[in-house]
Amino acid sequence: GFYIGTAAAGGGHHESQPYPDPFTKDLEYRSVLASEFSSVSAENQMKWEYIHPEQGRYNFGMADRIVRFAQLNRQVVRGHTLLWHSQNPAWVEQGDFTPEQLREILREHITTVVGRYKGKIQQWDVANEIFNDSGALRTTDNIWIRELGPGIIADAFRWAHEADPKAQLYFNDYNVESVNPKSNAYYALIKDLLAQGVPVHGFSAQSHLSTRYGFPGDLQANLQRFADLGLGTAITELDVRMDLPANGVPTAEMLEKQADYYRRTLTACLNVEGCDSFTIWGFTDKYSWVPVFFSGEGAATVMWDDFTRKPAYHALQCTL
Ligand code: XIL
């Protein structure tokens, strides 16, 4: 009943991640993915721009293959994601739609994508990153909230639930590991939605951590307060990046600190009832998003480029 997951590498979605699709081309990668994990998330392949690149055209190829891979290897799948401000296709962001049309576009998308994988997805990140760090809703950069108002969030959960009544439906975000204005905003919103009977089942902390900052020591207490609302909780995108020295090679001390962050994150989750899904955002530095998005930082995963294990890998294994 406890799932250890990873993101399945995105296949060079980003122009600065130009590697060929590792899911298809890297046999060692596939073998580790199959044997070391019991849950798989699509790093990019179920996002709007990937799965719905043009109006009226879906691109299910890679998402289908990931789901099939998981089934063959007896893994569960986390679906990611349906309502987000980022990685939307141009036809959506730059389209000239009325609110009524946009609402229908979102409804049709959620119904189609969730419906396609009905019974095959354990948890869906229905809404991703809808709040700013200040705790304010993203009313400017999130097209759905901007054009349709905050009520669209509840609708997204309702549509997803209709399409797959057994999938657990989550709110997911970064910088919500601690009790802070952003996680407080989720707490208040979710309480409100539950009171209205909206099908919300979970709250998850992405957990993109950095050794530059202290470990979020109240992670367990924060997850616990959501569990006390009757929700599932999860760690969905854990990685622990670090400032790389000039020679690019982390010191033993840095690796120990990283291992400690991994260990403490897993421990927090294990200590909270209903936190039964723990996912790292890629397992090898070879395909990690971190160096691309955080300049000067890297080495954030539990394995080196050649799949040899770091202290963080052993720390997780010893904690289980
Ligand atoms: C990242 C992927 O890892 C990259 O390959 C992609 O270029 C950008 O998105 N929060 C999320 C994830 O919810 O979808 C993001 O994934 C990382 C931050």
Side-chain angles (χ1 to χ4, degrees):
F2 190 80
Y3 299 87
I4 298 282
T6 181
H13 139 78
H14 196 271
E15 60 275 13
S16 46
Q17 285 170 288
Y19 46 78
D21 165 24
F23 187 78
T24 312
K25 308 230 164 87
D26 189 330
L27 289 181
E28 190 169 10
Y29 178 89
R30 274 177 80 85
S31 126
V32 177
L33 180 65
S35 57
E36 301 254 357
F37 298 93
S38 48
S39 176
V40 175
S41 303
E43 183 173 5
N44 289 302
Q45 303 89 333
M46 292 185 185
K47 292 173 181 174
W48 263 87
E49 68 174 7
Y50 203 105
I51 208 166
H52 201 169
E54 290 165 39
Q55 190 166 16
R57 183 173 75 84
Y58 286 90
N59 170 28
F60 289 120
M62 277 304 292
D64 283 2
R65 290 178 53 219
I66 289 172
V67 170
R68 174 137 187 80
F69 178 95
Q71 289 186 310
L72 289 171
N73 292 295
R74 295 183 184 76
Q75 297 162 315
V76 298
V77 179
R78 293 196 84 263
H80 177 80
T81 180
L82 301 167
L83 187 157
W84 192 22
H85 67 277
S86 182
Q87 291 186 257
N88 290 321
W91 73 267
V92 168
E93 290 285 346
Q94 280 138 50
D96 189 18
F97 301 111
T98 65
E100 292 67 35
Q101 289 170 325
L102 256 191
R103 185 179 154 79
E104 177 52 22
I105 286 168
L106 183 63
R107 192 200 61 75
E108 193 275 338
H109 177 93
I110 291 178
T111 304
T112 303
V113 176
V114 176
R116 184 175 184 92
Y117 302 112
K118 182 179 177 186
K120 298 175 179 170
I121 303 268
Q122 185 184 49
Q123 301 182 348
W124 262 110
D125 291 330
V126 174
N128 195 35
E129 304 178 351
I130 58 164
F131 286 106
N132 288 312
D133 286 354
S134 67
L137 268 183
R138 288 188 190 255
T139 49
T140 50
D141 59 353
N142 184 309
I143 182 173
W144 313 110
I145 299 173
R146 183 183 67 229
E147 302 299 325
L148 304 172
I152 194 63
I153 297 161
D155 287 333
F157 279 85
R158 292 191 188 102
W159 293 328
H161 186 60
E162 256 169 56
D164 187 355
K166 292 203 177 122
Q168 302 159 28
L169 307 183
Y170 271 69
F171 280 99
N172 186 54
D173 211 326
Y174 62 91
N175 287 353
V176 292
E177 291 70 40
S178 290
V179 174
N180 59 31
K182 197 182 202 175
S183 62
N184 287 343
Y186 276 102
Y187 188 80
L189 173 68
I190 293 174
K191 240 178 133 166
D192 194 46
L193 294 176
L194 289 176
Q196 293 173 52
V198 179
V200 178
H201 309 118
F203 170 77
S204 48
Q206 292 178 5
S207 309
H208 293 292
L209 305 180
S210 164
T211 58
R212 217 185 255 185
Y213 314 113
F215 182 81
D218 56 352
L219 173 60
Q220 185 180 320
N222 186 39
L223 294 176
Q224 186 62 52
R225 67 175 172 153
F226 287 92
D228 291 342
L229 292 178
L231 295 174
T233 57
I235 302 297
T236 51
E237 305 183 13
L238 177 62
D239 47 26
V240 183
R241 58 190 191 270
M242 57 180 84
D243 293 289
L244 294 174
N247 68 1
V249 186
T251 62
E253 201 183 329
M254 294 163 84
L255 293 170
E256 265 321 310
K257 186 168 183 186
Q258 176 184 56
D260 190 51
Y261 280 38
Y262 271 96
R263 178 190 304 116
R264 288 162 77 179
T265 307
L266 178 55
T267 301
C269 182
L270 286 170
N271 285 343
V272 174
E273 209 182 312
C275 187
D276 42 31
S277 176
F278 174 90
T279 291
I280 59 179
W281 206 238
F283 54 84
T284 165
D285 289 346
K286 189 174 183 183
Y287 303 120
S288 169
W289 75 305
V290 166
V292 176
F293 282 79
F294 302 91
S295 109
E297 295 178 89
T301 75
V302 300
M303 297 181 197
W304 301 106
D305 284 19
D306 65 359
F307 302 97
T308 52
R309 276 61 163 164
K310 296 180 190 171
Y313 175 91
H314 299 290
L316 290 182
Q317 205 169 44
C318 294
T319 305
L320 281 169

